[in-house]
Amino acid sequence: MSALPVFRTIADIRRQVGAWRADGLKIGLVPTMGALHEGHLSLVDALHRQGADRILVSIFVNPKQFAAHEDLDTYPRDEARDLEVLRTTQTNGVFAPSAAEIYPQGFSTKISLQGPALGLESDERPHFFSGVALIVCKLLTQSQTDMAIFGEKDYQQLLVIRHMARDLDLPVEITSAPIMREADGLAMSSRNVYLTDIQRPIAGQLNIILRRMAESDLPIEQAEAEAKSALLEAGFTRVDYATIRDAETLEAVSDTTTKRRALITARLGDVRLLDNMPAD
Ligand code: AMP
């Protein structure tokens, strides 16, 4: 199997996408920050099954979604390994631009968000969705693919991107795929490599406690409170949130709610772990 083509510039990615489109092919994008694991690869697979004829994976660790105190400098990066792993998938090319290509000197635009971007992750990381929306909007307009896929693993992010694409009339179909998990239920994440041998088994409890909350017959507030205490008892050092929300808006569950989502983010030391599942 030959090496995957790697595109470093906007001009190069557009040329390739234009050539595929001229052949009548449907093109899909999988945006990632690299350090690829089976969760990322499942998105490639899902996009293929959803009808993409050609699939591009973007690898870009986006500085604008990290606060100064966060792990931008230490975020795991291994492009050679990522390219090797992608060769065994349906991926047809990789877009791996430099930071200067994405944010040239004088870059001065921000995206301001409301709706599903409010609360939850934004309470802990106020800069985060603005940075994510900016890079996703840029990647979509740079590559001009027909489809782009995002994981339910980052459920709030998925809703934010769906809203942004709709609000800004981006000519792209946003799709999603379910969470890939380790054998004990821990959602796969590039940041799981930060977990120590002592933290790793505790991390596995997150999914068990999430499921219990999602399936609980108790009133919502009580189910949430029980989940919080269970997390602290299991050894999590802090619970950012453990909540059941309207699955479409992420607002508190109301009479008009038709679908619910249970979401937890809890910390083990410096490592933040996210998980979510339906709670109907
Ligand atoms: P990241 O590289 O962490 O920015 O993630 C890139 C994409 O992969 C996002 O759409 C994530 O939601 C998705 N993703 C990350 N982990 C998983 C997982 N365990 N299962 C499915 N999708 C995932």
Side-chain angles (χ1 to χ4, degrees), residues 31-34 37 39-40 42-43 75 149-154 157 177-181 187-190:
T32 81
M33 297 206 300
H37 50 70
H40 296 111
S42 75
L43 298 185
Y75 193 85
I149 191 166
F150 297 85
E152 287 181 4
K153 154 89 188 340
D154 301 286
Q157 170 175 291
I179 302 176
M180 290 291 285
R181 302 177 178 285
M188 292 180 180
S189 164
S190 304

Side-chain angles (χ1 to χ4, degrees), residues 7 39 54 81-82 85 116 124 185 198 210 251:
F7 306 97
R54 293 288 182 273
R81 183 190 156 276
D82 287 345
V85 168
E124 305 301 322
I198 292 172
L210 172 72
E251 287 170 6

